[in-house]
């Protein structure tokens, strides 16, 4: 009997748009798994549900609780504590647990008999994380910040406005990317458009995190 993997959606912020791609589901099927995806999976990234269903008859749609009730549950961000009750005992939860900073999550899962695998703790022989994209983290956050500023700043694209000032706390693995992204409004195409209009750019100040 093949193992069944549940892929629930992340009911976090309204603008949350991250789900696993059909390519991963295809790989799981090739390994012999059956996959239950939540209704609306991939919608935030404008991926039709049919893109998943057409992969195999071993992919089907279920509701949120059904996805959480599978033998293996795969979701990027850790489910909320109230969702832990929907996990079956002896289930395998693969997610970003962040056990060092969220030890209460580990305790709650252990008390329920759920086996947690923290994706952020998967490392290579040198201790480097294997599941991460620090450049994307830096750029996406900055891009969204400028999107909000652009929407609310009355003279964002006016050549007579003053330069925008950004303060970045830290310049480490993520901060370094954020600094570079900030000098480009988080969007190189937007920066090119602003330069073409002779609009003053962005001044970035970096402050050590402590």
């Amino acid at each position: 009997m093949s193992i069944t993997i549940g892929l629930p959606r992340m009911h976090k912020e309204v603008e949350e748009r991250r789900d696993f791609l059909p390519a991963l589901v295809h790989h799981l099927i090739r390994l012999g798994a059956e996959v239950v995806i939540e209704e609306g999976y991939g919608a935030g990234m404008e991926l039709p549900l049919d893109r998943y269903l057409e992969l195999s008859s071993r992919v089907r749609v279920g509701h949120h609780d059904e996805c959480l009730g599978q033998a293996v549950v795969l979701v990027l961000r850790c489910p909320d504590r109230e969702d832990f009750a929907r996990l079956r005992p002896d289930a395998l939860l693969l997610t970003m647990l962040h056990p060092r900073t969220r030890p209460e999550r580990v305790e709650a899962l252990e008390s329920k008999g759920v086996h947690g695998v923290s994706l952020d703790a998967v490392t290579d022989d040198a201790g480097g994380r294997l599941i991460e994209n620090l450049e994307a983290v830096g750029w996406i956050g900055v891009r969204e910040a400028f999107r909000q500023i652009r929407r609310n700043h009355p003279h964002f694209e006016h050549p007579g406005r003053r330069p925008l000032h950004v303060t970045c706390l830290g310049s480490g693995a993520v901060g370094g990317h954020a600094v570079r992204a900030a000098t480009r409004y988080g969007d190189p195409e937007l920066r090119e458009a602003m330069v073409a209009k002779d609009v003053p750019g962005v001044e970035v100040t970096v402050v050590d995190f402590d």
Side-chain angles (χ1 to χ4, degrees), residues 96-106 118 120 129:
M96 295 286 187
L97 283 174
H98 299 291
R100 293 183 179 179
T101 56
R102 300 290 190 275
E104 70 281 358
R105 290 177 177 172
V106 178
S118 186
D120 50 287
R129 282 179 55 176

Side-chain angles (χ1 to χ4, degrees), residues 75-124:
V75 58
L76 185 61
R77 295 176 65 182
C78 184
D80 294 330
R81 289 289 293 274
E82 53 266 29
D83 281 336
F84 285 3
R86 298 174 173 85
L87 299 170
R88 66 167 71 170
D90 288 329
L92 180 64
L93 173 64
L94 294 94
T95 187
M96 295 286 187
L97 283 174
H98 299 291
R100 293 183 179 179
T101 56
R102 300 290 190 275
E104 70 281 358
R105 290 177 177 172
V106 178
E107 294 175 2
L109 292 174
E110 288 180 345
S111 67
K112 178 147 181 79
V114 174
H115 308 285
V117 175
S118 186
L119 299 178
D120 50 287
V122 179
T123 61
D124 57 23

Side-chain angles (χ1 to χ4, degrees), residues 5-11 17-25 28 35-53 59-62 64 67 73-77:
I5 302 176
L7 270 65
R9 298 179 66 190
M10 294 181 288
H11 297 276
R17 293 187 287 269
R18 293 176 294 176
D19 287 320
F20 290 107
L21 299 175
L24 176 65
V25 176
L28 296 175
V35 180
V36 182
I37 59 176
E38 185 175 345
E39 179 68 44
Y41 202 84
M45 300 183 296
E46 300 182 356
L47 285 171
L49 199 61
D50 288 344
R51 286 280 302 278
Y52 296 90
L53 297 177
V59 181
R60 62 182 177 86
V61 178
H64 186 66
C67 293
V73 177
L74 174 61
V75 58
L76 185 61
R77 295 176 65 182

